[in-house]
Amino acid sequence: MNNTEINIKIQNGENIIEGKVPAGTCLTDIIDKFIGDEEKYVAAVVNRRLCEVTSSIFKDSEIRFMKLNSPIGYDLYKRSIVLLMLKSAKDVLGKAEGDYRIEIMYSLGKGFFCRLEDDDTEMNEELLGKIKVRMRELVEQDLPLEKKIYTTREMRERFARRDLPSKAKLLRYRRSSKINIYDLDGYEDYFYGYMVPSTGYLTEFDLVPYDDGFVLVIPEKNTLKLPEKYEAPNELYNVLRRSEDWGRKLQITCVGELNDIVVKGDMNKLMLLQEAMMEKQIAEIAQEIYEGDRKLVLIAGPSSSGKTTFSNRLSVQLASFGIIPHPIAMDNFFKERKDTPLDENGKFDFETIDALDLELLESTMTRLLNGEEVDMPTFDFTVGSKVYDGTKLKLGKNDVIVMEGIHALNPASTKTLPKDSCYKIYISALTQLNIDEHNRISTTDTRLIRRMIRDARTRGHSASKTIEMWPSVRRGEEKYIFPYQEEADAVFNSALIYELPALKTFAEPLLFGVSEESDEYYEAKRLLKFLDYFLGIDVQSVPQNSIIREFIGGGCFKV
């Protein structure tokens, strides 16, 4: 620290705090001096760049500190709790990592499904109990999560010796010659992103046995408290497991293996193989609908899941059974604008199920299922009213309604309809690929990249605009879609192993266009770093009916 003083401006909620500190002051010291430590902060955005609170500043700075329950802070917590678990498991097992391996497989509700690979040890409740005890001991010791810098080549060799081949292969394609490694009490590992300062922040966790592995349960984001009881979404798990099996059949479970395919020039074969697997699953769903004589197919899923392309491909498969599909948008049953409920900010809330005219929706579907001819509404969003333009519908023996909408799985939207006539499908992009053994690929990131590309192509939106609105989209999903995914008769995974190398070509120019002065710059920079793990590919060979075409364009369906 020197005698030169710098100006700082701290945004603390609604308040702005200004002051001076010596150049080289640590952010933790600034927290102590200007804010106080009654609430723990885990990161800071300094001049629109994310920093750890253990960093020091050397020039005039605008600072915004992040708590654990912020989106950034919550990401730090999730990464850090994984490191804590891995270190504790190593201490309990008492083995070199080459003699066992723990892999973080995928997100499963409020937790991460993990698997122990060890011929001599069974991951049972007794062993999990010992690991939990060790985790709590390390939390009480409040040990630092220390960042170290090594050469990429050295860590690649070390990970290979530790029998972590996915990490070693990932670093083969890393362009930077240096790499950040986190050290917890002598246990070193690589993670995609920053960590909390010390183990004392990681007070909420649980370990629950599940299937042939276990779930590392994490707290709720807003409360930072564990759920009263962890319940795994079983249908979601089955789909994720099936996708994992697909990846293993294709011998692609991590980014490094996918990059190997690009280097070898085998990407076209991979595309055809996975598209064939996906088409087979769509055909199986169509066969269930046909054999069950279902008349109303309801499809829901979060943003950018590929619902429109899936609906079209499902309709093609239904037609192969002699079924005539009639697509209907649930949005056509919105209430009149004057009757639309308002949100907490006094704006029209089109996300809530109360925005739908459920009485009209159910009476229309009931009449159609009873064989009546019905006048069908179309909602005119420019005037906020339903319009009847003479379109009529009557279901014949081989006709089926295919309805898409965010509330399609909500029991309230079909409570008066006969259950044996309905077939509900949940669709999401459940990425089956991982960065390496301990770093997942977030399903949310994949969908955000998809949406960013489509918004730019079809609406002229900048990446900044899509990133800005994404938290609101996510809140709607958490409230209105995810709670009902287990209501589905079928869960369809629209993620493709090869899609991120394809999306990279379109996403990077959009992300580089985000101004350093914008609030969305950090997120854009984070996504650019994420995409840097992948080798890009030529998209000309992507099939025209691929779900990816819904986002990059050039598809055969009208979307």
Side-chain angles (χ1 to χ4, degrees), residues 135-153:
M135 290 174 73
R136 292 193 182 100
E137 289 173 351
L138 295 175
V139 170
E140 289 173 4
Q141 293 175 33
D142 197 19
L143 300 174
L145 277 63
E146 184 181 358
K147 183 167 67 177
K148 297 180 177 179
I149 300 175
Y150 292 95
T151 66
T152 302
R153 180 174 181 177

Side-chain angles (χ1 to χ4, degrees), residues 229-277:
K229 181 182 179 182
Y230 173 77
E231 293 185 3
N234 296 319
E235 286 299 321
L236 185 64
Y237 172 75
N238 291 334
V239 172
L240 287 164
R241 193 60 183 260
R242 180 176 180 175
S243 298
E244 179 193 340
D245 292 341
W246 280 5
R248 293 190 185 280
K249 286 178 182 178
L250 297 171
Q251 297 184 319
I252 304 170
T253 60
C254 65
V255 172
E257 290 171 343
L258 181 60
N259 287 338
D260 283 348
I261 295 292
V262 178
V263 170
K264 293 175 184 176
D266 292 338
M267 184 53 69
N268 286 354
K269 179 181 177 182
L270 173 63
M271 287 181 185
L272 292 173
L273 278 171
Q274 203 188 10
E275 292 287 355
M277 289 177 174

